[in-house]
Amino acid sequence: MNSHHVVPQQTIFFSPSFALDKRHFAMLSTAILATLAVFLTCTACFVDATPKHDQQSSYINYTTVTGYFLQDEASTNASTFSFIDTNFGLINRTYPTDVNYDPKGKRTQWHRFTNQVFRLNRDAPRGTQYKVLYMGRHGEGYHNAAESYYGTPAWNCYWSLLDGNGTVSWADAQVTPEGVAQALKVNAYWASQIKNQKVPTPQNYYTSPLTRCLTTANLTFSGLKLPRRHPFVPTVKEFFREGISGHTCDRRGSKSHIQNAFPGYKIEPGFTETDQLWKAYLQETEVDQDIRSKTVLDDVFSTDRETYLSITSHSGEIASLLRATTMAVVHALDDYYLAITLLITIAYQLFFFAIAFSLKFDKLTDFAGGTNFVWLAIITLAFSGHHHARQIVCSLFIMLWGARLSGFLLFRIIKTGSDDRFDDKRDKFWSFLGFWVFQMIWVWTVSLPVTILNSPNVTRYNQPDFGTGRDIAGVILFAIGFILESVSDIQKYQFRSNPANKGKVCDVGFFVWTRHPNYFGEIIIQFAIFMIAVSPSAYGYVTGQAFNAQYASILGAFFLTLLLMFVSGLTLQERPGAKKRYESGNHWESFSRYTKRTSILIPFPPQLYEPMPTFLKRTVFLEFPIYVFDPAKHADQSKVREREAEEGNNGSAEQPERGSNERLAEEPR
């Protein structure tokens, strides 16, 4: 609701931000400054070459081209600007095309501008088109007059919730006599400008479904000298309506009412008989309105190939349309966010490295790794400017995983005091830095599916609605992996925390089915996120280089898998752990039995795994020879003899784990 009594119309211009091998449209935009909004805009629309179910999958990107209209100039005062006094705000200037088109300087400014737009479209890269939008606000309505009469506080708190005051009705408000006069004034100005300045008239017309806009559009354009090919036959579109609140002036009339009152108007398909969007006492948020505005604008631009379009709407909705067209995707260094996420990761890790090395402090190392994932997901999602459900789900999944992992490891290191992984590195600058560099690579690479999903080169395409088979499978796999990893971490921590289990083999909970359920869960999580993230490409919505980039992001899941299997996970746990147990006599027999009946990674019933042929264990179940400990080949026999001698002297067959081995089986992350 706005008590401003002018009929705003204004001008916007957009240029192509890039050219691709798909269709793309253009639109010009600026802020609402006065009574008429004329917009020259350039938008990018990328349409799938193989539409699904006869639907075009498209995304429109808008780029403002300044220098054509006063409304785009920083020096223009919005409070005093008048389109009537400034030729619709068109700047008096020359264009590169004037040399051949108007060498003697006899044509009007609008003549030359029209030719400039024609040449821009003719010479535009493939997939780019320029459009001019005439965006007009309705004339004064009875709701505006009532707000002025009662005052805004009383209007908002009481009167706006009523249909009227017994004398005047403002539910789906009509225009006042003053509003009629405003619209007729604009009509007269249009007539003079068409005759004298050769202003190009709209080729297609659109209007809000609220009565004040339907009436204003009719008063503004009826009776003008319009081309026969482009008569005034506006299309009523639901989403061009004002921001929706509990005010009754925001509740539109029925479809039948519109058809009867404005029989020459076209109503868009799917327009419901009654207003399904308005709810008493509920208000649409600005963000939701901007999403709605972007949706309807994208719909118009993806279906209307004409250059000059008219939209009759509301001050709040026009402002929302302008915000929607500038819901700018942030183009940071590259359009896949690879460079910016790498720089953020390097800076973040070096910051914590400086603390850890200077203070010989282990407690923040794993915390820095896990929280880095969270920050990258937040930043790329915020930069994307387009928050599809799939982007939100994937970003939340990696944030949830990273936050849980970093939180658990921080809790564990606080309890244990130090991390023995760094005992031989903590005082050596380059060795210690090497670990942090590797952590940088780990974070950046594993984040790739979410980073690329949120990047401009992917978000410019439409996406299938969330809930595809891949999405559902990915969510289920993520849930399984998250439960496996988080619960097994807790199970192992609780087992190790019990003094009665000192030195014993952890064979409780998920550890009955696999020796490393947390690793398996972590791998499943990353492949689940990738499965969801790649859906736009898998279903044919994303094409070209973006398609290749999305599938290449599987590198993150594979990198994590290789890391856990061959670098910092199983290779540090299996043979080295078995070697220490054997040489120290630390529950070796029970550990040996456990490894024979329990799968190394893939969960499997121990009753079936134990009798399984060794060939299957070494191949299908991934228990490769590099993990297997052979006492005859890999044990330090001198340590075994020392231990046996010590046991003989003490008269004990098997010693419990000694202090130096208390964290023998603790898993490094």
Side-chain angles (χ1 to χ4, degrees):
M1 277 39 49
N2 194 320
S3 59
H4 187 51
H5 291 173
V6 240
V7 183
Q9 305 220 347
Q10 189 166 350
T11 315
I12 300 188
F13 193 66
F14 288 96
S15 70
S17 54
F18 35 71
L20 296 176
D21 57 350
K22 302 292 179 186
R23 274 196 307 127
H24 112 208
F25 298 90
M27 168 179 129
L28 299 156
S29 107
T30 181
I32 298 180
L33 301 176
T35 56
L36 178 63
V38 187
F39 302 79
L40 177 53
T41 70
C42 175
T43 65
C45 177
F46 309 100
V47 182
D48 197 308
T50 54
K52 303 296 181 182
H53 307 296
D54 298 324
Q55 296 293 321
Q56 290 180 329
S57 63
S58 62
Y59 169 66
I60 300 177
N61 183 58
Y62 306 86
T63 307
T64 303
V65 179
T66 58
Y68 288 87
F69 293 96
L70 291 172
Q71 292 93 321
D72 288 317
E73 301 303 304
S75 59
T76 300
N77 187 332
S79 63
T80 60
F81 175 79
S82 169
F83 76 94
I84 289 179
D85 297 331
T86 57
N87 196 17
F88 284 122
L90 185 65
I91 296 173
N92 186 17
R93 51 160 289 190
T94 60
Y95 307 116
T97 55
D98 289 351
V99 175
N100 296 322
Y101 181 69
D102 188 26
K104 296 182 180 181
K106 293 184 177 181
R107 298 183 186 272
T108 70
Q109 186 68 46
W110 275 100
H111 251 149
R112 293 185 289 109
F113 173 74
T114 303
N115 181 64
Q116 169 74 357
V117 174
F118 169 78
R119 294 300 181 92
L120 284 171
N121 276 320
R122 187 194 66 179
D123 301 334
R126 183 180 180 184
T128 300
Q129 184 185 357
Y130 294 81
K131 288 186 183 293
V132 179
L133 298 186
Y134 300 101
M135 302 181 73
R137 174 185 179 254
H138 62 81
E140 180 192 59
Y142 280 103
H143 64 304
N144 300 128
E147 182 178 356
S148 296
Y149 179 79
Y150 291 113
T152 299
W155 168 256
N156 286 332
C157 294
Y158 178 74
W159 292 104
S160 65
L161 305 178
L162 306 178
D163 285 351
N165 62 4
T167 302
V168 174
S169 172
W170 49 71
D172 188 17
Q174 299 273 356
V175 292
T176 65
E178 175 64 21
V180 171
Q182 291 169 352
L184 292 176
K185 183 178 180 180
V186 175
N187 176 275
Y189 184 68
W190 263 107
S192 67
Q193 293 300 94
I194 292 171
K195 178 181 179 180
N196 300 322
Q197 292 294 325
K198 310 304 179 186
V199 174
T201 56
Q203 295 165 308
N204 278 320
Y205 301 80
Y206 299 92
T207 178
S208 158
L210 295 174
T211 299
R212 52 193 180 272
C213 288
L214 301 170
T215 302
T216 298
N218 185 54
L219 293 172
T220 301
F221 294 105
S222 291
L224 296 177
K225 189 176 180 179
L226 302 175
R228 289 186 178 182
R229 293 179 57 246
H230 303 293
F232 172 65
V233 182
T235 299
V236 180
K237 295 191 76 67
E238 184 83 86
F239 279 10
F240 275 135
R241 63 194 294 170
E242 181 63 294
I244 304 166
S245 71
H247 297 194
T248 59
C249 59
D250 294 334
R251 185 182 66 216
R252 70 163 171 84
S254 67
K255 179 178 179 180
S256 299
H257 164 74
I258 296 173
Q259 290 172 325
N260 292 332
F262 303 92
Y265 287 18
K266 294 187 296 185
I267 298 180
E268 67 177 338
F271 195 87
T272 58
E273 173 62 24
T274 58
D275 192 345
Q276 301 296 309
L277 300 182
W278 186 88
K279 304 291 183 185
Y281 308 111
L282 294 180
Q283 180 168 345
E284 181 181 37
T285 67
E286 183 177 287
V287 172
D288 288 334
Q289 183 180 4
D290 291 351
I291 294 173
R292 167 168 64 82
S293 300
K294 183 69 164 58
T295 300
V296 68
L297 205 57
D298 286 356
D299 177 51
V300 169
F301 279 18
S302 62
T303 57
D304 195 326
R305 298 297 296 167
E306 301 294 354
T307 301
Y308 298 89
L309 307 178
S310 167
I311 299 173
T312 304
S313 188
H314 312 258
S315 59
E317 175 57 15
I318 292 174
S320 177
L321 289 168
L322 295 178
R323 290 194 302 270
T325 59
T326 56
M327 283 167 58
V329 174
V330 179
H331 297 266
L333 301 181
D334 67 85
D335 285 342
Y336 290 110
Y337 291 157
L338 301 179
I340 188 65
T341 52
L342 180 60
L343 291 176
I344 291 171
T345 300
I346 291 173
Y348 194 72
Q349 295 303 313
L350 287 179
F351 171 77
F352 282 102
F353 163 74
I355 297 175
F357 183 75
S358 300
L359 304 179
K360 303 299 182 283
F361 193 63
D362 296 342
K363 292 181 174 60
L364 294 179
T365 305
D366 290 317
F367 176 81
T371 53
N372 204 155
F373 288 102
V374 178
W375 283 115
L376 292 187
I378 291 174
I379 291 170
T380 56
L381 184 63
F383 279 7
S384 73
H386 307 283
H387 303 147
H388 190 278
R390 186 170 291 101
Q391 290 176 263
I392 295 173
V393 168
C394 287
S395 299
L396 285 177
F397 276 2
I398 202 165
M399 284 189 273
L400 179 62
W401 169 72
R404 189 217 66 86
L405 180 64
S406 58
F408 171 75
L409 295 179
L410 177 63
F411 169 79
R412 193 179 71 178
I413 195 66
I414 289 174
K415 291 294 185 179
T416 58
S418 64
D419 194 331
D420 55 11
R421 289 177 297 171
F422 307 121
D423 288 346
D424 60 344
K425 299 181 180 69
R426 198 175 290 112
D427 297 321
K428 300 175 183 177
F429 180 87
W430 293 110
S431 296
F432 197 40
L433 178 62
F435 170 85
W436 287 85
V437 170
F438 196 82
Q439 183 155 278
M440 296 173 195
I441 298 172
W442 169 60
V443 171
W444 182 80
T445 306
V446 174
S447 294
L448 283 176
V450 173
T451 297
I452 293 175
L453 175 66
N454 288 337
S455 70
N457 272 359
V458 172
T459 57
R460 73 187 185 203
Y461 293 96
N462 247 10
Q463 294 194 23
D465 291 337
F466 186 79
T468 65
R470 295 180 67 91
D471 294 331
I472 294 171
V475 170
I476 293 173
L477 283 176
F478 177 86
I480 293 172
F482 190 79
I483 292 171
L484 266 175
E485 183 182 24
S486 56
V487 173
S488 61
D489 276 343
I490 295 172
Q491 289 172 340
K492 188 165 189 176
Y493 177 79
Q494 291 177 336
F495 184 87
R496 294 294 180 210
S497 299
N498 187 347
N501 295 326
K502 185 177 181 181
K504 292 182 179 179
V505 178
C506 180
D507 57 358
V508 298
F510 290 137
F511 290 90
V512 173
W513 293 69
T514 168
R515 286 154 27 207
H516 302 281
N518 50 350
Y519 289 172
F520 184 76
E522 194 166 341
I523 292 170
I524 291 298
I525 285 172
Q526 299 310 321
F527 278 100
I529 293 174
F530 168 78
M531 179 179 292
I532 300 171
V534 82
S535 286
S537 291
Y539 287 98
Y541 285 76
V542 173
T543 59
Q545 292 183 347
F547 174 94
N548 297 332
Q550 279 219 289
Y551 273 101
S553 70
I554 198 173
L555 174 66
F558 276 123
F559 181 80
L560 179 80
T561 302
L562 294 175
L563 183 70
L564 292 177
M565 291 187 66
F566 303 110
V567 181
S568 66
L570 299 183
T571 52
L572 296 181
Q573 287 293 295
E574 287 297 313
R575 183 182 290 176
K579 182 174 182 291
K580 289 180 180 179
R581 281 188 178 275
Y582 179 79
E583 291 173 352
S584 64
N586 180 24
H587 294 81
W588 167 249
E589 294 299 330
S590 59
F591 179 79
S592 180
R593 289 193 302 270
Y594 176 68
T595 58
K596 290 178 181 178
R597 71 172 184 269
T598 310
S599 170
I600 189 173
L601 187 64
I602 302 172
F604 202 72
Q607 299 87 348
L608 299 178
Y609 187 80
E610 186 170 11
M612 184 180 295
T614 301
F615 171 76
L616 290 179
K617 292 182 180 180
R618 298 289 187 269
T619 54
V620 176
F621 283 85
L622 308 178
E623 192 164 357
F624 302 134
I626 59 172
Y627 306 134
V628 178
F629 172 71
D630 184 343
K633 295 180 180 179
H634 305 127
D636 185 338
Q637 298 302 324
S638 62
K639 291 184 179 180
V640 175
R641 287 192 292 271
E642 289 177 5
R643 186 258 302 168
E644 290 176 344
E646 183 180 349
E647 290 174 355
N649 292 334
N650 294 335
S652 59
E654 181 176 76
Q655 292 291 324
E657 183 179 21
R658 291 180 288 277
S660 61
N661 293 319
E662 283 183 2
R663 302 200 313 154
L664 191 65
E666 194 71 53
E667 293 191 15
R669 302 298 299 225

